[in-house]
């Protein structure tokens, strides 16, 4: 299977700039990041044991990351 090389990556960035414009790209990047984070958290929850202490720890990580996001937006 072939990977996307540097020229392909540059072409994708140029195409994204043309389609979405420079003002929308940061917003789009944040949305993609949130989607990956939610997917990862959902997968972790599905794989987690029934250990309540582990779940509490994971929830506190999510709460901390959300509060960090809010601070960054202010």
């Amino acid at each position: 299977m072939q990977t996307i090389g540097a020229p392909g990556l540059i072409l994708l960035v140029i195409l994204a700039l043309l389609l979405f414009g420079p003002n929308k790209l940061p917003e789009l990047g944040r949305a993609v990041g949130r989607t990956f984070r939610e997917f990862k958290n959902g997968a972790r929850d599905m794989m987690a044991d029934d250990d309540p202490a582990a779940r509490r720890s994971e929830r506190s990580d999510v709460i901390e990351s959300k509060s960090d996001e809010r601070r960054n937006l202010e």
Side-chain angles (χ1 to χ4, degrees):
M1 180 174 211
Q2 292 181 338
T3 61
I4 298 176
L9 198 57
I10 292 171
L11 182 63
L12 284 174
V13 169
I14 291 172
L15 186 63
L17 279 170
L18 290 173
L19 288 175
F20 300 109
N23 296 333
K24 284 283 189 180
L25 282 182
E27 198 174 307
L28 184 64
R30 280 190 289 272
V32 169
R34 280 189 211 113
T35 302
F36 282 135
R37 190 177 316 115
E38 288 176 15
F39 177 78
K40 186 174 83 172
N41 289 338
R44 185 182 302 142
D45 286 344
M46 289 177 63
M47 300 293 287
D49 295 334
D50 290 329
D51 183 18
R55 289 186 182 189
R56 249 181 281 140
S57 173
E58 290 173 6
R59 287 185 186 137
S60 67
D61 291 344
V62 171
I63 291 169
E64 288 175 13
S65 67
K66 286 182 181 180
S67 65
D68 290 342
E69 287 178 15
R70 288 186 191 126
R71 277 189 229 125
N72 290 337
L73 293 175
E74 293 176 347

